[in-house]
Amino acid sequence: MQCKFCGQKLPDNAICCSRCGGSMTSSRKKIQMPEARKEEMVFNIKPAFDPATIGVRAFFLAAFISAVAMVTIGSVCTVVLSLLGSMNSFTAFWTTGAVFFIITFLLFMQISKKNTIARKFTFYQTRMEYTYNAFDGKLRYLEYTSILDSSVTKGPLQRMSNLGNISFVCVGSFHDYVVVIGDVRDPDYVYKKVLDLIEVNKELNK
């Protein structure tokens, strides 16, 4: 069964909820639910959608996919059309590449834009809340005390647009994991703000 107060899954013979303390007996008294922790937002980060940077990435990915498509699908189509006596059999080879290039390029740009719009990182006094991508949609959180290490990196394309990635190595229940904020505008300035917030929080928790 489920707790009607917080939704926690419980055994069928549970007397009270192990998470919120709500009574599961027939007399079910009204339980005062604890208020959600409220903190003042310090700042937020919205990854930048830079058409030039994303466009170059899309170009190289589309070129790779189209080359693979030409070697596989295009070659098969060429052989089949040749056996059928078509005079334009070799055209199928290049047509296959062009079609796959256009589809891959446009699809990559669309998905990248959708993901960038969906992602948001909000920094509070003791934690960061974020949505990771457009397909997940879940609101996740990261306590500053669980951060083991952090860094800022910039790729060649990102440097031209003053972009960078901020990464956090965090301790998890079973293994360490990494949270990355990609394509941050003015990454050095933003990274310094994040570090200051983390350091202040860790000092207060000593």
Side-chain angles (χ1 to χ4, degrees), residues 90-108:
F90 199 66
T91 306
F93 183 81
W94 298 105
T95 302
T96 301
V99 169
F100 272 84
F101 180 90
I102 293 171
I103 292 174
T104 303
F105 183 87
L106 294 177
L107 192 60
F108 184 89

Side-chain angles (χ1 to χ4, degrees), residues 20 31-39 127:
C20 70
I31 302 297
Q32 182 68 33
M33 291 293 293
E35 291 186 6
R37 180 174 56 178
K38 295 180 181 179
E39 293 184 20
R127 72 191 191 282

Side-chain angles (χ1 to χ4, degrees), residues 43 58 62 93 125 172:
F43 63 90
F93 183 81
Q125 295 166 339

